[in-house]
């Protein structure tokens, strides 16, 4: 058995120091993702459509506001004919606004859909670049729970961005539309004080700006803590979900070890952190409600109070007063967009931080340890695999071969061994290009694509035929050939299930999964196979079956087996040794920009206390 250094690709392999990203960084990276999205064109046209609808709606709102004066003046005069005429005008304006509102709702939903599609596709594309997901998982806390960031956080960011963006645009256009109307109405406002007359140009406009500005400042002052509180809550929710998934995937072991009390305590602890984060958010929201609700009640009478001195002096009619009040409300409603949405803005800011920092980290995983030396890779024209003064760097030191110069020829079978903790899995990852930090040279056989066999096999969802057969368009294997290979590794019962879809990692036992992984190698017929301890877990009969199958099916393939060295020396006549050089320079920490780095897990915090 290898030690923890080999078995757990934890954060200590790639120590990370955190450099917070700015709002500008976060907005820029989301913009970059949308710019390269395949749905960019559709998103652009839908956005143009909603702008046109909002402009048309604003024009309708201006017409509706102008309708107030003749309507209320007709009421004041008790003019039935003009009253009925104004009702007809209202029906026409309201009918047009109804159609526009329905169209805006549809366009709003389309923007949500396209924006989520664009964001999620971009994150998936960035995550699934070669070796990025692996490197991100070793980059510290920013690589925890990537599924939540791509699925839940991206969806939430799309919804919030759509609602806030459309609302802000609508408020801005209404403000531009009505500020002129309100300024014109304010030109007739004259205050009579002590025998003097005082006219303030744009009086209602300035009053609306002052009123909304004070309320916005108070709302931001009280609501700003919600940004960090929401970010913390999403992190705690992710930990709880991760714990539940881990328990669900290990129910057999938990039951056998009677570990239900420990699992329950862990889940209760994670739930407690979620509830604690939610309580802090609720407290902040209540404090914010004191400001926004008080402001909302005052707003009911504020425009009338502002205009009442002029009305009571007789300078405007009742219809003029209602028109001024309506225009004030429209301008004020546009200005109070920030107040109405302070909670959503804080939520949006926290969600943007999580999604954008995740995308930033994905890009920066390609340049982690940028100042560190890297292993050089080249292709060997003679078709051999070579290692020249290879040293694989890690925070604990360097892993290397005991022989500084090694050449492996096509068809050779090599056993690579090492003491526990020597870094055998690190050496395996270095050959695969997943861990490029170190020095020396790895020469790969030109024109060949080695198959790498990890200790834990991976099977994509799909039919058994899709799992076994070649994914790159080569000639498919026949049913007879596949069935023969399965029989050779002791899985003949699966021959009747070639076209059945399943979760094979759940349907098969551990030994069966490993046997299926080697059956896949035989079906695909590679010329180079590099194995990381996948043979070590087989019992004697199973190992003999697998080695016999490899001997029969891959007689000319080169097989490099990294393991404990307990295998048939006739099958692996040559051996190499991996050693640890703790005196060599260790890998230095890396810097990843991440504003939403998660605090330590709850269990670690509790233990620290």
């Amino acid at each position: 058995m290898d030690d923890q250094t080999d078995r757990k690709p934890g954060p200590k392999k790639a120590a990370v120091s955190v450099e917070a990203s700015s709002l500008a960084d976060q907005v820029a990276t989301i913009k970059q993702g949308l710019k390269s999205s395949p749905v960019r064109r559709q998103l652009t046209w839908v956005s143009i459509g909603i702008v046109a609808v909002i402009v048309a709606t604003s024009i309708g709102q201006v017409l509706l506001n102008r309708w107030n004066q003749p309507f209320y003046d007709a009421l004041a005069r008790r003019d039935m004919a003009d009253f009925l005429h104004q009702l007809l005008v209202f029906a026409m304006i309201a009918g047009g606004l109804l159609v526009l509102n329905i169209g805006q709702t549809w366009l709003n939903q389309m923007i949500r859909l396209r924006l989520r599609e664009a964001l999620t596709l971009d994150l998936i594309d960035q995550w699934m670049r070669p070796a990025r997901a692996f490197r991100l998982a070793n980059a510290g806390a920013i690589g925890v729970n990537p599924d939540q960031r791509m699925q839940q956080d991206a969806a939430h960011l799309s919804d919030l961005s759509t609602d806030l963006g459309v609302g802000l645009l609508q408020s801005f256009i209404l403000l531009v539309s009505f500020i002129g109307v309100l300024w014109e109405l304010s030109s007739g406002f004259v205050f009579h004080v002590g025998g003097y007359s005082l006219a303030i140009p744009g009086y209602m406009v300035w009053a609306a700006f002052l009123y909304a500005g004070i309320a916005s400042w108070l709302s931001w002052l009280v609501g700003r803590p919600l940004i960090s509180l929401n970010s913390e809550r999403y992190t705690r929710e992710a930990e709880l979900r991760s714990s539940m998934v881990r328990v669900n995937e290990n129910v057999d072991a938990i039951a056998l070890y009677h570990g239900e009390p420990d699992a329950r305590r862990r889940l209760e602890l994670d739930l407690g952190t979620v509830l604690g984060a939610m309580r802090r958010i609720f407290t902040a929201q209540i404090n914010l409600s004191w400001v926004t609700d008080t402001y909302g009640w005052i707003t009911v009478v504020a425009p009338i109070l502002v205009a009442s001195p002029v009305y009571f002096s007789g300078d405007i009619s009742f219809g003029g007063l209602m028109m001024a009040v309506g225009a004030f409300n429209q301008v004020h409603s546009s200005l109070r967009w920030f107040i109405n949405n302070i909670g959503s803005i804080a939520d949006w800011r926290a969600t943007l931080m999580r999604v954008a920092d995740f995308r930033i980290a994905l890009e920066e995983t390609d340049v982690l340890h940028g100042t560190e030396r890297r292993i050089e890779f080249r292709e060997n024209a003679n078709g051999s695999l070579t290692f020249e003064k290879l040293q694989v760097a890690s925070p604990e030191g360097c892993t290397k071969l005991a022989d500084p110069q090694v050449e492996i020829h096509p068809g050779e079978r090599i056993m690579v061994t090492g003491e526990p903790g020597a870094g055998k899995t690190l050496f395996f990852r270095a050959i695969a290009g997943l861990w490029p930090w170190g020095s020396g040279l790895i020469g790969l056989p030109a024109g060949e694509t080695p198959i790498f066999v990890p200790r834990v096999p991976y099977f994509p969802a799909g039919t058994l035929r899709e799992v076994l057969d070649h994914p790159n368009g080569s000639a498919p294997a026949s049913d007879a050939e596949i069935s023969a290979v399965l029989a050779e590794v002791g899985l003949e019962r699966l021959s009747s299930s070639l076209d059945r879809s399943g979760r094979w990692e759940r349907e098969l036992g551990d030994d069966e999964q490993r046997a299926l992984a080697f059956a896949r190698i035989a079906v695909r017929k590679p010329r180079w196979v590099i194995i990381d301890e996948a043979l070590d877990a087989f019992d004697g009969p199973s190992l003999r079956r697998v080695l016999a199958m490899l001997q029969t099916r891959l007689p000319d393939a080169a097989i490099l087996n990294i393991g404990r060295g307990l295998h048939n020396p006739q099958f692996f006549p040559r051996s190499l040794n991996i050693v640890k050089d703790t005196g060599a320079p260790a890998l230095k920490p890396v810097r990843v920009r991440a504003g939403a780095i998660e605090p330590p897990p709850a269990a670690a915090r509790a233990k620290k206390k």
Side-chain angles (χ1 to χ4, degrees), residues 464 468 479-496 498 515-516 518-520 522-523 541-542 544-546 548-549 553:
L464 189 61
L468 289 169
D479 288 4
E481 182 180 0
I482 295 176
S483 297
V485 170
L486 290 173
E488 290 173 15
V489 295
L491 297 176
E492 56 272 7
R493 68 180 182 83
L494 297 179
S495 298
S496 60
L498 295 182
L516 185 63
F518 282 97
R520 177 169 55 187
V523 171
S542 299
R544 286 191 290 273
R545 278 199 303 268
V546 169
M549 183 272 295
R553 298 285 174 176

Side-chain angles (χ1 to χ4, degrees), residues 341-409:
N341 293 281
I342 181 64
S344 296
I345 292 171
D347 194 8
W348 173 83
R349 183 71 180 84
T351 310
L352 172 68
M353 189 185 299
R354 287 179 59 80
V355 175
D357 284 347
F358 179 71
R359 192 182 190 280
I360 290 171
L362 283 170
E363 291 182 332
E364 294 192 349
T365 52
D366 292 343
V367 293
L368 292 182
H369 302 286
T371 60
E372 296 289 334
R373 295 180 62 185
R374 291 181 175 238
I375 299 168
E376 181 183 351
F377 286 82
R378 75 179 182 195
E379 290 191 347
N380 294 328
N382 64 356
S384 64
L385 174 65
T386 57
F387 304 100
E388 299 179 15
K389 299 180 180 179
L390 176 65
Q391 289 189 327
V392 186
S394 71
E396 293 78 30
C398 284
T399 293
K400 63 181 183 179
L401 290 170
D403 300 325
Q405 303 286 337
V406 174
E407 181 173 9
I408 300 173
H409 299 283

Side-chain angles (χ1 to χ4, degrees), residues 74-377:
L75 283 176
R77 297 192 309 268
R78 293 181 173 84
D79 187 341
M80 177 61 71
D82 194 21
F83 172 76
L84 295 176
H85 173 70
Q86 293 303 323
L87 287 180
L88 180 61
V89 173
F90 172 79
M92 295 174 62
I93 297 174
L97 288 173
L98 175 62
V99 173
L100 290 172
N101 287 338
I102 297 299
Q104 181 175 331
T105 301
W106 181 82
L107 290 169
N108 186 294
Q109 299 301 325
M110 289 300 101
I111 289 179
R112 289 173 186 260
L113 182 65
R114 294 304 182 189
L115 187 57
R116 180 179 182 184
E117 182 181 5
L119 282 175
T120 307
L121 285 176
D122 174 69
L123 291 175
I124 291 174
D125 175 68
Q126 294 293 324
W127 191 47
M128 287 290 98
R129 298 287 176 89
R132 269 192 181 177
F134 167 80
R135 291 174 185 169
L136 184 71
N138 288 275
I142 192 66
V144 176
N145 301 312
D147 54 317
Q148 185 192 43
R149 296 182 188 252
M150 290 185 289
Q151 185 263 329
Q152 182 176 325
D153 292 344
H156 195 44
L157 180 61
S158 301
D159 291 344
L160 289 173
S161 298
T162 301
D163 290 342
L164 292 174
V166 171
L168 179 60
L169 176 63
Q170 191 165 21
S171 297
F172 175 76
I173 293 176
L174 282 174
L175 177 63
V176 172
S177 302
F178 277 93
I179 200 169
V181 175
L182 190 59
W183 187 282
E184 183 180 351
L185 290 171
S186 300
S187 62
F189 283 23
V190 180
F191 297 90
H192 303 281
V193 182
Y196 294 95
S197 297
L198 177 64
I200 303 177
Y203 161 68
M204 294 282 282
V205 175
W206 300 122
F209 271 95
L210 180 63
Y211 182 55
I214 293 174
S216 297
W217 177 75
L218 288 174
S219 298
W220 173 247
L221 193 66
V222 176
R224 182 170 54 182
L226 284 169
I227 295 175
S228 58
L229 292 175
N230 278 312
S231 179
E232 182 189 4
R233 178 197 170 178
Y234 294 141
T235 300
R236 304 281 79 80
E237 294 277 12
E239 288 179 357
L240 175 61
R241 185 177 66 176
S242 177
S243 296
M244 289 180 171
V245 170
R246 187 162 53 248
V247 169
N248 184 58
E249 290 178 345
N250 294 277
V251 289
D252 292 352
I254 290 173
L256 291 172
Y257 282 97
H258 303 290
E260 289 86 355
D262 290 336
R264 184 177 63 252
R265 281 193 295 270
R266 171 67 194 190
L267 293 176
E268 289 173 351
L269 183 61
D270 286 342
L271 177 61
T273 63
V274 171
L275 297 177
M278 292 178 68
R279 277 192 291 268
R280 289 187 286 274
I281 289 176
F282 294 159
T283 300
Q285 288 175 336
I286 290 172
N287 294 335
L288 181 61
S289 294
W290 279 107
V291 176
T292 56
D293 290 355
T294 301
Y295 178 70
W297 280 110
I298 296 175
T299 302
V300 174
V301 296
I304 297 177
L305 291 175
V306 170
S308 59
V310 182
Y311 173 74
F312 286 117
S313 67
D315 289 334
I316 58 172
S317 66
F318 180 68
L321 173 66
M322 298 309 295
M323 185 176 176
V325 168
F328 181 93
N329 283 331
Q330 289 288 0
V331 171
H332 170 259
S333 176
S334 300
L335 292 173
R336 68 169 286 168
W337 174 87
F338 180 82
I339 305 161
N340 292 337
N341 293 281
I342 181 64
S344 296
I345 292 171
D347 194 8
W348 173 83
R349 183 71 180 84
T351 310
L352 172 68
M353 189 185 299
R354 287 179 59 80
V355 175
D357 284 347
F358 179 71
R359 192 182 190 280
I360 290 171
L362 283 170
E363 291 182 332
E364 294 192 349
T365 52
D366 292 343
V367 293
L368 292 182
H369 302 286
T371 60
E372 296 289 334
R373 295 180 62 185
R374 291 181 175 238
I375 299 168
E376 181 183 351
F377 286 82

Side-chain angles (χ1 to χ4, degrees), residues 441-491:
L441 183 144
I442 297 177
L444 298 173
E448 299 292 344
T449 303
I451 282 188
F452 293 89
V453 186
R455 65 168 64 89
V456 179
Y458 164 72
F459 304 115
T463 66
L464 189 61
R465 187 189 305 277
E466 292 169 341
V467 168
L468 289 169
D469 219 339
H470 202 287
N472 298 325
S474 299
S478 65
D479 288 4
E481 182 180 0
I482 295 176
S483 297
V485 170
L486 290 173
E488 290 173 15
V489 295
L491 297 176

